[in-house]
Amino acid sequence: MPTHCTHRRPREFAARLRSRPDSTPLARLLLRAYLAGMPQGEHYADISELLLGELFANAVQHSDAPPDRLVEVRFALTSGRLRIEVHDAGSGRATARGSSSDDERGRGLFLVNELAERWGCCPRAGGVGKFVWALIAPAAGLAEPALDATRAAVAV
């Protein structure tokens, strides 16, 4: 009897990137590729790319870690939410501050606070560094396409 091999899409992804500003676009590219392989991944793309870019840039700009340390990104799509994490070896804690329209900088965590369903900052296992995470809901109106199609059919 033949054995069928099923290939399952990975539910989690992790990568380590150089702690440099030019790694931010690569982090977003990896997220786009991850979401492209996930069912309904496009429902998370816009907000998650923006927030990942902000979190990664913060890890590069504000970390007091030695410059040879890597920044790790992790993505996981579970229970209808996308979790993104950015790990760095710095000792600081991420905190959102108020932002005004006159601010040229410092809007990253303000945006994370406004656009993520939840977010936080935790120490890394082993005691070296921290990670900032954000939980992202699917874009409004895209969470239940089957239900929307049913509503449209009933309305006819």
Side-chain angles (χ1 to χ4, degrees), residues 46-48 50-51 54-55 58 95-100 106-120 132-140:
D46 293 336
I47 291 176
S48 64
L50 173 66
L51 298 188
E54 295 295 340
L55 294 178
N58 280 352
T95 56
R97 60 183 174 143
S99 182
S100 73
R107 295 184 187 157
L109 289 178
F110 175 78
L111 287 173
V112 173
N113 193 53
E114 293 298 310
L115 297 175
E117 189 172 84
R118 290 184 302 157
W119 74 278
V132 181
W133 58 270
L135 199 60
I136 301 163

Side-chain angles (χ1 to χ4, degrees), residues 60-138:
V60 171
Q61 292 173 352
H62 302 295
S63 176
D64 59 357
D68 65 336
R69 300 292 181 185
L70 300 175
V71 175
E72 182 173 325
V73 294
R74 294 184 187 180
F75 319 129
L77 187 57
T78 57
S79 302
R81 299 296 182 264
L82 175 66
R83 181 180 172 100
I84 58 174
E85 297 179 5
V86 177
H87 297 240
D88 69 65
S91 62
R93 299 280 293 168
T95 56
R97 60 183 174 143
S99 182
S100 73
S101 60
D102 296 335
D103 290 341
E104 291 282 328
R105 301 176 65 102
R107 295 184 187 157
L109 289 178
F110 175 78
L111 287 173
V112 173
N113 193 53
E114 293 298 310
L115 297 175
E117 189 172 84
R118 290 184 302 157
W119 74 278
C121 181
C122 302
R124 292 179 67 197
V128 176
K130 67 181 173 308
F131 68 95
V132 181
W133 58 270
L135 199 60
I136 301 163

Side-chain angles (χ1 to χ4, degrees), residues 34-55:
Y34 171 79
L35 290 173
M38 300 304 290
Q40 300 180 357
E42 70 277 4
H43 298 179
Y44 303 89
D46 293 336
I47 291 176
S48 64
E49 284 185 49
L50 173 66
L51 298 188
L52 177 63
E54 295 295 340
L55 294 178

